[in-house]
Amino acid sequence: MTWPRVVEVSGQVMSAIMDPLATPVLVYFWVANTVPLALTGLAIWEFLHHHRRKGYAGSEEMVSSQLAQGISVVVPAFNEEEVIVRSVQALLGLRYPRHEVIVVDHGSTDGTFERLRRSFDLVCMATEIPADLPTRGRIIDVHVPREGHGPLVVVRTEDRGRSDAINVGVNMAAEPLVSIVDADLFVDSNALIDVSRPFADDPTRVVATGGMIRVGNGCRYVDGRLGEARPAREWILRIQIVEYLRAFLVGPSGWSRLRAVMLISGAIAMYRRDILVEVGG
């Protein structure tokens, strides 16, 4: 005869637990859905603004301008022998008035450095790397193309992680802007122009910018550049494409409209070198 009372007591306990949580949970789901919706609206506004100014943004003028700030592209690489050569070739061929590529091979155990050495005819160079930022890994050696210093520098260090490799690259950087690019990233030919433009528009306030990251599975590439854009066949990759668009395009574009971008993707980012040094790398 006690069964109904047990059920009644259990129901009262559940009500006592759930009733206070109902309002906070409702508020949470309201905020969790309203914020992305608002960011989507702001992103559309930002897209329209970008599209309107694209025709007179002066991209071609910037390519030939001698007043554009120089850029040091830092590429941390660890066991990237399959992609490193075509990635560096693509980075060297980016459209920009003045940029250098600094590859930091931090302890690769495969043929990453050997492929670079053969492809670009690298020779060892005696140089002293500035110590503007603290680093932990020992510098093994520095290499440049045989015909001269050129825009390519390859630094080999002990493996103390990606962040330490980036700090080494920043120490080597000779230009006022530093762009950090993943070694396995295929970069659009106008990437440096697009990502650096906010620095030219507002040089005293802009300290960091980022680029749009997209899933390239299914696309065809020629010499490290996009030859043909094609959708991925697997549904899991199509879902990933949508997620990348949400995370790396819609969200940041919405925050950018508010001048409140909270995070720059590590895959491709650009910073003022003096600010990087000031905050400790």
Side-chain angles (χ1 to χ4, degrees), residues 215-222 225-231:
V215 177
N217 298 63
C219 298
R220 185 173 64 87
Y221 296 91
V222 179
R225 300 192 182 281
L226 180 65
E228 180 183 359
R230 294 180 295 196

Side-chain angles (χ1 to χ4, degrees), residues 7 26 98 167 228 239:
V7 174
L26 181 63
R98 187 176 81 252
N167 284 345
E228 180 183 359
I239 294 173

Side-chain angles (χ1 to χ4, degrees), residues 182-275:
D182 280 354
D184 59 352
L185 198 70
F186 291 95
V187 183
D188 183 80
S189 59
N190 289 324
L192 293 184
I193 295 174
D194 295 335
V195 179
S196 66
R197 181 173 290 115
F199 291 96
D201 294 341
D202 196 352
T204 61
R205 295 178 57 192
V206 175
V207 298
T209 59
M212 166 59 189
I213 310 299
R214 287 176 286 188
V215 177
N217 298 63
C219 298
R220 185 173 64 87
Y221 296 91
V222 179
D223 296 330
R225 300 192 182 281
L226 180 65
E228 180 183 359
R230 294 180 295 196
R233 295 182 179 180
E234 299 85 352
W235 275 104
I236 188 66
L237 289 176
R238 295 185 180 186
I239 294 173
Q240 187 183 27
I241 290 171
V242 174
E243 174 61 14
Y244 265 57
L245 290 173
R246 182 201 65 79
F248 294 108
L249 179 62
V250 176
S253 296
W255 288 116
S256 181
R257 184 74 261 180
L258 298 175
R259 299 296 185 265
V261 176
M262 298 181 289
L263 177 69
I264 300 294
S265 170
I268 178 169
M270 189 174 292
Y271 306 92
R272 275 174 44 189
R273 186 183 185 278
D274 61 326
I275 297 296

Side-chain angles (χ1 to χ4, degrees), residues 90-260:
L91 291 172
L92 290 171
L94 293 178
R95 302 178 69 231
Y96 198 78
R98 187 176 81 252
H99 76 284
E100 63 177 353
V101 178
I102 302 170
V103 180
V104 183
D105 179 2
H106 53 108
S108 292
T109 57
D110 63 356
T112 296
F113 173 73
E114 187 59 28
R115 292 204 175 188
L116 286 171
R117 188 188 66 80
R118 291 199 308 264
S119 298
F120 298 99
D121 193 19
L122 299 178
V123 294
C124 188
M125 177 184 71
T127 184
E128 185 173 341
I129 300 179
D132 296 330
L133 293 175
T135 58
R136 296 175 297 158
R138 180 178 64 89
I139 306 297
I140 299 174
D141 48 31
V142 179
H143 290 77
V144 296
R146 185 182 301 275
E147 67 272 11
H149 289 202
L152 174 63
V153 179
V154 178
V155 185
R156 291 200 298 170
T157 73
E158 294 179 338
D159 186 20
R160 290 296 184 269
R162 184 176 185 272
S163 296
D164 196 68
I166 291 173
N167 284 345
V168 172
V170 174
N171 283 340
M172 280 291 299
E175 304 294 352
L177 298 179
V178 174
S179 179
I180 301 167
V181 179
D182 280 354
D184 59 352
L185 198 70
F186 291 95
V187 183
D188 183 80
S189 59
N190 289 324
L192 293 184
I193 295 174
D194 295 335
V195 179
S196 66
R197 181 173 290 115
F199 291 96
D201 294 341
D202 196 352
T204 61
R205 295 178 57 192
V206 175
V207 298
T209 59
M212 166 59 189
I213 310 299
R214 287 176 286 188
V215 177
N217 298 63
C219 298
R220 185 173 64 87
Y221 296 91
V222 179
D223 296 330
R225 300 192 182 281
L226 180 65
E228 180 183 359
R230 294 180 295 196
R233 295 182 179 180
E234 299 85 352
W235 275 104
I236 188 66
L237 289 176
R238 295 185 180 186
I239 294 173
Q240 187 183 27
I241 290 171
V242 174
E243 174 61 14
Y244 265 57
L245 290 173
R246 182 201 65 79
F248 294 108
L249 179 62
V250 176
S253 296
W255 288 116
S256 181
R257 184 74 261 180
L258 298 175
R259 299 296 185 265

